[in-house]
Amino acid sequence: MTPAWWQLHLRVPGQDLAGVEEQLLAAGAEAVSWLEDDAAAPVFVDGETWPVSQGEALFPGTQEGREAIEGLLAQPGWQRFAPRVEALAEQDWVAQIQAAFPAQAFGRLWVAPHWAEVPADVLLLRLDPGRAFGTGSHATTALCLEFLSDTIAGGETVLDYGCGSGILAIAALLLGAESALGVDTDPVALEVARENAAENGVAERLSLCLPKEEKARQYALVVANILAAPLIGLAPLLAQRVVPGGRVALSGLLHAQEESVRAAYAPYFSFAPGKRREDWSLLIGERLPGGQDGSPVPAL
């Protein structure tokens, strides 16, 4: 029987996502979705750690669709993405995608795509999987969401540095933060975050910008769910964004990277014991009034 769809499964490191998605769509894929892949080990490239995403691209279940997939897989480098092709009936792929994104609770907050049912009268963040990192399914995002649920008391200002889909900034606003700024290097991520904020009724309280457009100011809470190397490089900047006594939450790092990240922030923060889930860690620090030796930390 002729399938309704050909589904191409891939495992793609973060640094390749944009290029792979562009080629999939150019080849005729009618839908592309990415799921943070907790089962895949992070990939190390040029000293940097990249999380791996599980990709699913849908092509028409025709000979032309199959040939389009074969053409992609014949290109240099594509076999390293562990490609697998599956024939799907019309009803199968919808159910499969929906089953991969169930409703989840993170403390006081639930995160669910629009098709998932949730208990009545819960605090709900609606978020569909799409073009930017952050659905709640990855361990680092889950750690940050639970931290926000435990920490937000109401009225805080929040900076989400490396905001992706905007999930953390939107979660903070739903939990009671007064305002939030999301910063990301990817203009597509900012577009997605803006759409997600509107969907959840917090667009008026969420600002979004590229790093070069960000204005220096201080926040009660800064959260950065990115990777160890950029976290280390950003330590002075992010420290200057936190009010004395405010808090920083750093994630996207492996257990073995905790010490180096903590050392980069030690002149500015005192740290509580880190939290861990699977291979990933979350570091939580409180902003010191001065440097490690008691001297003032220069402001921007």
Side-chain angles (χ1 to χ4, degrees), residues 14-186:
Q15 83 275 12
D16 295 318
L17 281 182
V20 168
E21 179 168 330
E22 182 177 352
Q23 291 181 70
L24 288 167
L25 294 173
E30 297 199 9
V32 179
S33 62
W34 301 104
L35 172 67
E36 296 93 338
D37 192 344
D38 286 337
V43 174
F44 295 87
V45 179
D46 296 331
E48 181 59 281
T49 305
W50 292 93
V52 175
S53 291
Q54 177 180 311
E56 296 176 349
L58 287 170
F59 288 79
T62 60
Q63 182 63 26
E64 290 79 7
R66 184 61 190 244
E67 290 174 355
I69 293 174
E70 291 173 352
L72 285 171
L73 301 187
Q75 296 183 27
W78 273 72
Q79 290 301 315
R80 66 190 174 94
F81 301 140
R84 178 171 61 87
V85 180
E86 182 181 5
L88 296 179
E90 183 67 33
Q91 66 273 19
D92 290 341
W93 72 268
V94 175
Q96 186 179 49
I97 291 176
Q98 293 185 354
F101 296 94
Q104 300 177 83
F106 302 95
R108 295 180 283 151
L109 181 71
W110 283 73
V111 177
H114 74 271
W115 59 75
E117 295 184 2
V118 297
D121 301 323
V122 299
L123 186 60
L124 176 61
L125 193 165
R126 285 289 187 189
L127 188 73
D128 293 344
R131 297 169 290 167
F133 182 90
T135 62
S137 60
H138 195 275
T140 59
T141 311
L143 284 167
C144 291
L145 288 169
E146 290 171 353
F147 165 77
L148 291 171
S149 179
D150 292 340
T151 303
I152 298 290
E156 294 90 347
T157 55
V158 177
L159 170 62
D160 179 3
Y161 207 95
C163 64
S165 68
I167 185 172
L168 299 181
I170 295 168
L173 294 169
L174 291 174
L175 288 161
E178 177 183 331
S179 62
L181 172 66
V183 178
D184 204 285
T185 59
D186 183 0

Side-chain angles (χ1 to χ4, degrees), residues 217-295:
R217 57 164 295 187
Q218 291 188 311
Y219 301 83
L221 177 62
V222 171
V223 59
N225 181 23
I226 40 181
L227 298 168
L231 283 175
I232 291 170
L234 287 166
L237 185 148
L238 294 185
Q240 291 160 351
R241 296 296 187 265
V242 185
V243 299
R247 305 178 85 180
V248 69
L250 308 170
S251 196
L253 56 144
L254 299 167
H255 301 333
Q257 298 169 326
E258 288 183 23
E259 184 175 349
S260 58
V261 174
R262 188 182 287 109
Y265 286 79
Y268 316 102
F269 295 91
S270 62
F271 281 94
K275 296 186 177 182
R276 294 180 171 183
R277 178 171 296 191
E278 300 163 10
D279 296 327
W280 302 93
S281 300
L282 172 70
L283 299 180
I284 303 168
E286 181 176 328
R287 182 70 158 87
L288 299 169
Q292 199 171 35
D293 60 358
S295 60

Side-chain angles (χ1 to χ4, degrees), residues 206-220:
L206 176 62
S207 301
L208 297 159
C209 69
L210 297 167
K212 64 182 180 181
E213 300 168 342
E214 188 224 348
K215 294 181 171 59
R217 57 164 295 187
Q218 291 188 311
Y219 301 83

